[in-house]
Amino acid sequence: MTLEYQDIFNALKQERNTEKAEVSSRFFKTGKGEYGEGDVFWGISVPTQRGIAQKYSDASFSVIEKMLRDPVHEFRLTALLILVYAYKKALLPQRKKIFDFYIRHTDFINNWDLVDSSARDIVGAFLYESGADRALLYKLARSTSLWERRISIIATWFFIQKGDYKDTCAIATLHLTDSHDLMHKATGWMLREMGKKSEKHLLDFLKKNYKRMPRTMLRYALEKFPQETRKAYLSGRV
């Protein structure tokens, strides 16, 4: 182990909590056949991980890669949080390196919180700020990997915050036929975020697609609407 890695390892290890680890294991569905099967938890709170990540935001890619490959969930999340902090303080050339590193390691970004804590602020941010081709998002949207598909829609959150909705709508349309509940939730969530910025864009999307939307996706998208409006959509009376 390098000294840098050992310092991060020690910082995380001293925060282990067996009771919280058991709760996290159940919450993140680590049982046989579940989406998080085999994931290992140490029971470390996210605020604590953020503090450690911020302290070691200058960690090398080799250290971050070693953390991403670790079976312990909190190592992977802390690694991704390090990348987020590093990205925010970097200039564009280094941001590209962080983006490229992230995309090369999506196999290890393998639970919903790992995606949700990083895809917007690295993938979405880089594609928006650099003007790079967004075709990558559509490739991820069609991936056999649940987590790459989730990256594709969560990344558009950055675009939404900038008032750019085209890719959110297009990728959400691709996910209408996705079979996984976690994709229904993520896509509905991003549509709801779009609606916060532009109700018109959300209503336009719903008008075209609400009858085809999985129930969970539709419920998430409608969450901020009045109860009567939600009922109308859910009953197909719009």
Side-chain angles (χ1 to χ4, degrees), residues 12 19 48 65 85 90 142 186 189 198-199 202 204 218 227 232:
L12 289 169
E19 290 183 5
T48 296
E65 181 169 17
Y85 285 121
R142 295 180 173 92
W189 171 25
S198 173
E199 187 175 285
L202 176 53
D204 286 347
L218 182 57
Q227 184 176 4

Side-chain angles (χ1 to χ4, degrees), residues 163-218:
D164 181 349
Y165 313 119
K166 181 180 178 181
D167 293 291
T168 301
C169 292
I171 292 171
T173 301
L174 292 177
H175 292 324
L176 291 176
T177 56
D178 199 295
S179 62
H180 206 292
D181 184 62
L182 285 176
M183 287 306 304
H184 302 166
K185 291 177 179 178
T187 304
W189 171 25
M190 289 302 103
L191 290 171
R192 184 176 73 234
E193 290 298 320
M194 181 176 72
K196 289 179 185 177
K197 297 283 288 186
S198 173
E199 187 175 285
K200 178 184 182 303
H201 280 81
L202 176 53
L203 288 172
D204 286 347
F205 183 90
L206 291 173
K207 183 178 179 180
K208 295 176 186 176
N209 299 294
Y210 83 95
K211 290 184 178 180
R212 297 193 293 144
M213 291 171 72
R215 199 77 167 173
T216 298
M217 186 188 298
L218 182 57

Side-chain angles (χ1 to χ4, degrees), residues 2 13 39 41 53 70 101 105 111 147 158 180 190 194 212 225 236:
T2 65
K13 186 177 181 179
D39 212 348
F41 284 85
D70 199 284
F101 177 89
H105 292 83
N111 214 315
W147 309 118
F158 194 92
H180 206 292
M190 289 302 103
M194 181 176 72
R212 297 193 293 144
F225 282 103

